[in-house]
């Protein structure tokens, strides 16, 4: 995952060792845990990735299952150009969400390089990167991770924030070398969607990567400062992910939305 990718790998979730993810509420400067307000469970969701014009470029699925005291979640996308993306996360949700294991696979022309990266909660990582001309690099090592590393959990956190809240967490971006990035989620405003003839309220959260002063200076100098993203969450008795917009792969603004499967003709049934 590159600087230009670090927003969704995440993303849905519909969608991580134990350690507290930290939040900073607008009324206080002191960090506090992001409490589990809504526990995750079994999910089979269908998603669609669109370009800035709303044209579908990939179809996706989210599979999420409880596994003992953990939740295992896998997000996959299959692109029109046969590229493939898969993000798997295992996490706990005892009072707070906590990453146990993260695995990212990306391959094909939609990506700058093929990548297979694994990160464990103790900071151990293994990365294999393959350029499109066949050059392979491998790296493994140990990171000193903060307790709030949340690869694959950004949308889940947004679903558990209240209107007006702000949260600060970290992501490990594989560039392909692992880089720790601070990510700030803040309530930005409200919108609505129309379901049938009824309007339902949405909370819009701004997702802003934050770099140190030195990194930020060089990022601006090189034109590689990560752009902001936004997540829309249905505000109801049970919150729901509705939409994500931001740079995912090559710097363009992508849109992640829910998809509605279309019924096909049943096999073995002849219609007159």
């Amino acid at each position: 995952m590159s600087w230009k990718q670090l927003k969704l790998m995440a993303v849905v979730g519909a969608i991580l060792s134990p350690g507290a993810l930290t939040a900073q509420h607008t009324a206080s400067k002191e960090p506090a845990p992001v409490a589990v307000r809504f526990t995750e469970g079994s999910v089979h969701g269908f998603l669609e990735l669109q370009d800035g014009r709303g044209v579908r470029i990939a179809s996706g699925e989210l599979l999420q299952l409880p596994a003992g005291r953990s939740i295992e979640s896998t997000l996959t996308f299959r692109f029109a150009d046969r590229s493939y993306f898969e993000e798997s996360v295992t996490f706990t949700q005892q009072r707070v969400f906590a990453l146990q294991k993260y695995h990212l696979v990306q391959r094909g022309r939609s990506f700058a390089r093929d990548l297979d990266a694994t990160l464990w909660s103790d900071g151990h990582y293994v990365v294999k990167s393959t350029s499109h001309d066949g050059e392979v690099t491998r790296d493994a090592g140990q990171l000193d991770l903060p307790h709030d590393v949340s690869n694959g959990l950004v949308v889940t956190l947004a679903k558990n924030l209240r209107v007006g809240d702000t949260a600060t967490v970290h992501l490990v971006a594989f560039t392909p070398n692992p880089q720790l990035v601070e990510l700030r989620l803040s309530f930005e405003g409200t919108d609505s969607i129309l379901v049938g003839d009824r309007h339902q309220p949405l909370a819009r959260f701004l997702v802003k990567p934050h770099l140190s002063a030195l990194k930020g200076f060089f990022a601006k100098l090189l034109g590689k400062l990560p752009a902001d993203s936004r997540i829309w969450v249905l505000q109801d008795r049970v919150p729901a992910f509705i939409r994500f917009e931001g740079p995912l792969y090559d710097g363009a603004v992508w849109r992640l939305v829910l998809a509605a499967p279309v019924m096909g003709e049943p096999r073995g049934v002849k219609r007159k």
Side-chain angles (χ1 to χ4, degrees):
M1 182 165 59
S2 69
W3 291 112
K4 297 177 180 179
Q5 293 172 284
L6 51 91
K7 306 302 179 34
L8 161 66
M9 312 303 145
V11 143
V12 172
I15 196 241
L16 103 196
S17 224
L21 296 174
T22 60
Q24 188 175 35
H25 295 272
T26 55
S28 173
K29 296 295 184 180
E30 294 299 322
V34 175
V36 177
R37 298 176 58 217
F38 303 97
T39 56
E40 297 292 310
S42 298
V43 173
H44 191 165
F46 298 93
L47 304 164
E48 184 174 294
L49 197 60
Q50 303 172 349
D51 63 15
R53 299 171 298 166
V55 176
R56 184 178 66 189
I57 58 176
S59 298
E61 287 186 73
L62 174 71
L63 289 175
Q64 185 170 276
L65 288 169
R69 296 172 61 87
S70 302
I71 298 290
E72 295 179 353
S73 180
T74 300
L75 175 68
T76 58
F77 280 103
R78 291 174 171 82
F79 289 73
D81 67 358
R82 297 184 180 274
S83 297
Y84 179 77
F85 168 88
E86 180 179 302
E87 180 188 55
S88 299
V89 290
T90 303
F91 63 95
T92 59
Q93 52 183 352
Q94 282 79 51
R95 296 184 298 107
V96 294
F97 297 99
L99 178 144
Q100 291 184 312
K101 183 181 179 181
Y102 175 78
H103 184 213
L104 173 66
V105 175
Q106 60 183 42
R107 60 177 179 264
R109 292 293 173 179
S110 288
F111 306 98
R113 63 178 66 84
D114 291 357
L115 189 69
D116 190 320
T118 306
L119 175 70
W120 288 267
S121 60
D122 62 1
H124 182 62
Y125 69 89
V126 176
V127 183
K128 177 184 176 182
S129 175
T130 307
S131 68
H132 292 310
D133 59 10
E135 182 181 356
V136 178
T137 60
R138 293 179 174 84
D139 185 27
Q142 190 76 28
L143 298 172
D144 185 12
L145 295 181
H147 292 309
D148 61 7
V149 168
S150 53
N151 288 53
L153 221 134
V154 177
V155 170
T156 299
L157 292 183
K159 286 163 57 180
N160 282 268
L161 291 177
R162 293 181 171 87
V163 168
D165 279 356
T166 298
T168 300
V169 297
H170 289 83
L171 293 179
V172 175
F174 294 97
T175 64
N177 296 326
Q179 302 286 338
L180 190 65
V181 180
E182 184 178 279
L183 202 63
R184 295 176 181 174
L185 291 78
S186 58
F187 173 74
E188 188 179 48
T190 57
D191 296 301
S192 67
I193 54 173
L194 188 63
V195 181
D197 59 357
R198 187 163 65 98
H199 286 273
Q200 300 229 38
L202 300 179
R204 184 176 68 253
F205 291 94
L206 176 66
V207 183
K208 180 182 286 293
H210 178 72
L211 307 179
S212 67
L214 186 61
K215 285 185 178 180
F217 171 78
F218 285 108
K220 287 182 178 179
L221 185 66
L222 298 173
K224 296 181 179 180
L225 188 65
D228 298 340
S229 295
R230 286 172 173 83
I231 298 172
W232 282 262
V233 176
L234 175 68
Q235 293 289 292
D236 205 344
R237 292 179 60 190
V238 180
F241 165 80
I242 298 297
R243 187 169 179 167
F244 167 89
E245 288 185 2
L248 302 180
Y249 307 118
D250 294 326
V253 173
W254 307 111
R255 181 182 303 154
L256 178 65
V257 298
L258 302 176
V262 178
M263 181 73 75
E265 289 291 329
R267 291 186 178 181
V269 177
K270 295 183 179 179
R271 296 189 179 275
K272 297 181 179 180

